[in-house]
Amino acid sequence: MLLLIGAVVLGFVMARLDLLPRFLHVRMGHLGTLALILLLFSMGISMGSNSEIISSLPKLGGKALVLSISTIAGSVFFVWIGMRLTTEKTSKKLGGARQ
Amino acid sequence: MTMIIVGSLVVGMLCGYFLLPGGLPFLSSITDGALALLLFTVGYDLAQGGDLRQKIKDLPRIALAVPVLVILGSLLGSLVGTLFIDLPLGEGVLVGAGLGWYSLSAVIIAQSYDVTLGAVALLTNVFREVLAILLIPIIARKLGYLPAIAPGGATTMDVTLPIISQSTDSQTTIVAFYSGTVLTALIPFLVPLIIKLLQGF
């Protein structure tokens, strides 16, 4: 967890101090996309090869799907309604009603 | 972008299931390395976004409450969801309290409550993370940037942060990082607390 916070802070500081060479600076977007693909691919492998996940899927998958959808729906609804109720400060872009 | 996201995840899952059923020895190091690199680029992008202090000041006050809203919404959402399945209400809420952090919540529930419910928590929170990855860009477009933080739960400080960063703006990315950090810090207390409450009844 410290590694992860450290990575964000390091990236921030290196950008502010302009420490990266030009060829890396201009390719930061590509680097991010590449890392994202690698991350999701390796997460996929660990899920697909996790016998605990695969073996419990047929029996418990339905329940888990209902619960995951309902927790997501509940949390999105609460944040959305929170933004709506503070209309005067929250812009439409952020999820509020102010134009 | 969504195609890349879905594609990498699905191809990885299929590879894991069909080609590498035993997993890979350095897989977790690869995941950690990719995640660290990704978060480095998120930090790098944040620094390009101009005056951060001003952007934080410009945020609506309600942004501070996002982690609280995410917890309340997740608990109530799982309560409603449990009505539709064969599971005691309190146990559904316990599973929802994992907030997407599957490794931790599943272990705590399996060890100190019930092994089968631990497996449900594992699957539910894995699904939550996968669905969050798929839904964040859509919610950002349809409902606004701050609601797009909600599906990720505790994972908005790591795995889903780059997706939020690419689908929203630097202001929202800061709120997402803050919310994910608060939730990650709270889960080790929230899940055992709900277990205590369940065992008390």
Side-chain angles (χ1 to χ4, degrees), chain A residues 22-77:
Chain A
R22 195 82 211 141
F23 76 96
L24 271 181
H25 175 80
V26 293
R27 287 179 182 79
M28 213 34 126
H30 293 294
L31 198 64
T33 308
L34 213 70
L36 183 64
I37 292 173
L38 187 63
L39 172 72
L40 294 173
F41 181 68
S42 69
M43 276 171 54
I45 292 182
S46 66
M47 288 171 189
S49 63
N50 185 322
S51 55
E52 201 187 335
I53 293 182
I54 300 299
S55 64
S56 51
L57 258 182
K59 232 181 118 201
L60 306 173
K63 280 183 191 174
L65 192 63
V66 171
L67 284 174
S68 58
I69 292 173
S70 61
T71 49
I72 289 180
S75 58
V76 171
F77 178 73

Side-chain angles (χ1 to χ4, degrees), chain B residues 5-6 13 44 46 67 84 107 116 131 136 140 144 148 151-152 160-161 163 166 168 173:
Chain B
I5 292 170
V6 180
M13 284 175 178
Y44 203 84
L46 273 182
F84 296 95
V107 169
T116 311
L131 287 173
I136 285 166
T160 53
L161 186 64
I163 320 263
Q166 292 190 354
T168 67
T173 306

Side-chain angles (χ1 to χ4, degrees), chain B residues 71-84:
Chain B
I71 292 184
L72 291 177
S74 299
L75 297 181
L76 275 170
S78 53
L79 187 74
V80 173
T82 313
L83 297 173
F84 296 95

Side-chain angles (χ1 to χ4, degrees), chain A residues 78-87 89-91 94-96, chain B residues 54-71 145-147 149-150 156 169-183:
Chain A
F78 265 61
V79 174
W80 181 76
I81 211 82
M83 299 309 123
R84 284 274 143 169
L85 293 178
T86 52
T87 45
K89 279 216 76 182
T90 311
S91 67
L94 291 175
Chain B
Q54 192 55 45
K55 288 196 165 163
I56 294 174
K57 271 193 203 147
D58 286 347
L59 277 168
R61 195 80 55 79
I62 187 77
L64 260 184
V66 165
V68 178
L69 295 171
V70 170
I71 292 184
Y145 288 174
L146 288 173
I149 298 173
T156 61
D169 58 6
S170 54
Q171 258 188 331
T172 311
T173 306
I174 295 165
V175 179
F177 189 63
Y178 148 77
S179 170
T181 310
V182 170
L183 295 178

Side-chain angles (χ1 to χ4, degrees), chain B residues 101-168:
Chain B
W101 189 1
Y102 54 85
S103 49
L104 186 82
S105 61
V107 169
I108 298 180
I109 293 172
Q111 281 179 349
S112 54
Y113 191 77
D114 177 73
V115 176
T116 311
L117 197 68
V120 176
L122 177 72
L123 281 182
T124 302
N125 289 295
V126 167
F127 287 169
R128 177 165 186 171
E129 188 172 280
V130 173
L131 287 173
I133 290 170
L134 306 181
L135 290 173
I136 285 166
I138 301 169
I139 293 172
R141 270 200 307 272
K142 303 273 179 200
L143 293 178
Y145 288 174
L146 288 173
I149 298 173
T155 68
T156 61
M157 69 167 292
D158 44 55
V159 177
T160 53
L161 186 64
I163 320 263
I164 292 170
S165 152
Q166 292 190 354
S167 320
T168 67

